[in-house]
Amino acid sequence: MRSIQRRLSLGLIGVMVVVGLVLAQTSLWLFELGLQRYLEAGLRNDSENLLVALVRGPQGLQLDERRLSPAYQRPFSGHYFRIDFADVHWRSRSLWDQELPRLDHPGLHSNLQLGPEGQKLLVLRTDYRRLGQAISISVAQDYTPVRDSFRRMQQVSLGLGLAGLLLILLLQRITVRRALRPLDRAREQIAQLQRGQRSQLDEQVPRELEPLVTQINHLLAHTEDSLKRSRNALGNLGHALKTPLAVLQSLASNEKLDPYPELRKLLLEQLEQVRQRLNRELNRARLSGDALPGAHLDCDAELPGLLATLNMIHGEHLHLSYVAPPGLHLPWDREDLLELLGNLLDNACKWADAEVRLTMTETAEGFSLAVEDDGPGIPKDRRDQVFSRGTRLDEQTDGHGLGLGIVRDIVDTWGGLLALDDSEWGGLKVVIELPKR
């Protein structure tokens, strides 16, 4: 979809071009019309002067050339006349060897062309009666300089119009950007919501955005409240079922079932599966998090403390280290990530001889987390077993066997991949691939 700014710019260009062209053409037309009316007044004055120059002579009407303007004597001066009466006509010497055609009707005409220089003429024909004669006087003026000035004016106007349009577009772009800043702030606040840095959007927004922000805040509050109620109900159900499960397990161990060892074994197995499934679903509900995500994990700030704590638990003989890009932030809930890394590193410390290393890298697809140790490792044909809750491959080692099962639940919830591989030290390497969010 095209951006709002682009659509506004295109719409503004279209409106400005149409309105500008209409205004420019109308203005030029009105200006030219006014100029022609002004020149017509001058031509009418010249026509009346020619009428006055007509005097009675011995042979009838004659033209007193002493009363004529010198411009009518100079060839192609730009000022011409033609006088028609009876069957005769006189013309100005400025026409030279050209002829000014007789116009069909009185009035102003602007379509005549004269002379080798192609002068455009503005001609006014006026009819009079003088000394008992019907006289038609046509007075012409060279209109070429005016047309050239008009052409230059049109070019200048076009240039100024384009410059004005560019200036308007620039101002419009600045105005639209400033008007859309609240949307940018809302987008930043939504990103902060995703990172767990705020719980609601700021309601101090322009009036046009108030309904949207209010609705989003209402939706956030409603979603968070619904999820909390759902998690509380699921937790209450889980805790309510734990007591009957404990009673049933106690009854299954009762001496009255000694004669029925197979029945006891079956009951205990089924009850254990129910307990494990209940714990799994309760853990998944916890991992679903609140409606708003918690704070993200700052690797530089959190990992040194986590490794120091594990060192204190498992002894100073272990060398725990981590490799991560400076300033790396993982875009998942901090508490869940600490639990995931804590379980992985704790399991690695239990089996390691001297080295445990956490490696974090950011890829185009997401993030890669790897925990490796220099312990005995796990045979490839038995690696799938460690993901089952309660399964321990060595019963002599302290632990409850739920570490990797919890890790797998967290990774599955986030849509990631969990795999076991060989460490470069010969021990186990747990690799987690998490997609970007």
Side-chain angles (χ1 to χ4, degrees), residues 12 164-177:
L12 180 62
L165 179 60
L166 292 176
L167 179 60
I168 291 174
L169 287 176
L170 178 61
L171 294 176
Q172 182 256 0
R173 188 178 186 87
I174 295 174
T175 303
V176 170
R177 283 191 174 182

Side-chain angles (χ1 to χ4, degrees), residues 34-302:
L35 182 59
Q36 288 183 358
R37 292 294 176 263
Y38 172 77
L39 295 176
E40 180 182 0
L43 292 174
R44 193 173 299 278
N45 184 62
D46 290 344
S47 178
E48 291 173 355
N49 289 335
L50 288 172
L51 182 64
V52 172
L54 290 175
V55 296
R56 188 187 299 274
Q59 299 179 357
L61 280 179
Q62 65 182 26
L63 184 63
D64 187 358
E65 295 187 359
R66 292 174 300 176
R67 300 183 181 184
L68 298 181
S69 170
Y72 292 130
Q73 308 293 332
R74 189 171 62 253
F76 300 114
S77 63
H79 293 272
Y80 315 100
F81 69 81
R82 172 184 174 131
I83 301 176
D84 295 277
F85 66 95
D87 293 330
V88 232
H89 79 273
W90 295 327
R91 60 186 183 87
S92 63
R93 294 182 181 180
S94 57
L95 284 170
W96 199 244
D97 58 350
Q98 301 290 317
E99 189 70 41
L100 185 66
R102 183 173 184 176
L103 301 178
D104 296 333
H105 55 83
L108 190 67
H109 301 263
S110 59
N111 297 321
L112 295 182
Q113 186 170 346
L114 178 70
E117 298 178 358
Q119 294 179 346
K120 297 287 185 179
L121 299 183
L122 188 66
V123 185
L124 175 66
R125 173 185 166 180
T126 311
D127 293 342
Y128 304 97
R129 289 195 66 84
R130 183 173 175 81
L131 303 177
Q133 294 280 349
I135 303 172
S136 173
I137 301 177
S138 296
V139 184
Q141 180 177 341
D142 184 8
Y143 197 54
T144 304
V146 177
R147 287 184 176 272
D148 292 341
S149 298
F150 247 84
R151 193 171 294 109
R152 286 193 296 270
M153 183 182 297
Q154 287 178 329
Q155 294 171 352
V156 171
S157 301
L158 179 60
L160 292 176
L162 290 177
L165 179 60
L166 292 176
L167 179 60
I168 291 174
L169 287 176
L170 178 61
L171 294 176
Q172 182 256 0
R173 188 178 186 87
I174 295 174
T175 303
V176 170
R177 283 191 174 182
R178 294 186 62 182
L180 293 180
R181 280 179 186 172
L183 291 178
D184 291 333
R185 287 196 293 269
R187 178 185 57 78
E188 292 174 359
Q189 291 178 10
I190 291 174
Q192 292 173 355
L193 283 173
Q194 186 180 7
R195 295 193 297 266
Q197 297 175 352
R198 62 167 54 236
S199 59
Q200 286 203 327
L201 299 181
D202 188 359
E203 294 187 354
Q204 299 299 322
V205 294
R207 185 179 306 168
E208 293 80 4
L209 293 181
E210 284 181 359
L212 175 63
V213 171
T214 302
Q215 193 64 31
I216 290 177
N217 286 338
H218 177 73
L219 178 62
L220 289 171
H222 176 73
T223 303
E224 186 175 11
D225 183 62
S226 299
L227 184 56
K228 284 182 178 179
R229 289 200 304 268
S230 175
R231 291 181 61 206
N232 290 337
L234 184 58
N236 293 336
L237 177 61
H239 289 297
L241 291 177
K242 283 185 177 180
T243 299
L245 279 176
V247 172
L248 289 175
Q249 285 181 324
S250 176
L251 291 177
S253 302
N254 194 289
E255 59 184 11
K256 293 181 180 180
L257 291 180
D258 288 345
Y260 309 100
E262 294 183 359
L263 178 60
R264 171 183 289 168
K265 180 181 179 181
L266 179 62
L267 286 175
L268 289 174
E269 288 178 353
Q270 295 300 316
L271 289 172
E272 179 63 20
Q273 289 185 15
V274 172
R275 186 186 67 80
Q276 290 186 11
R277 182 58 183 267
L278 179 62
N279 288 336
R280 180 186 292 268
E281 295 306 322
L282 288 175
N283 189 52
R284 284 183 182 274
R286 184 192 65 77
L287 291 177
S288 65
D290 296 329
L292 300 175
H296 292 178
L297 181 68
D298 183 349
C299 296
D300 292 339
E302 302 286 353

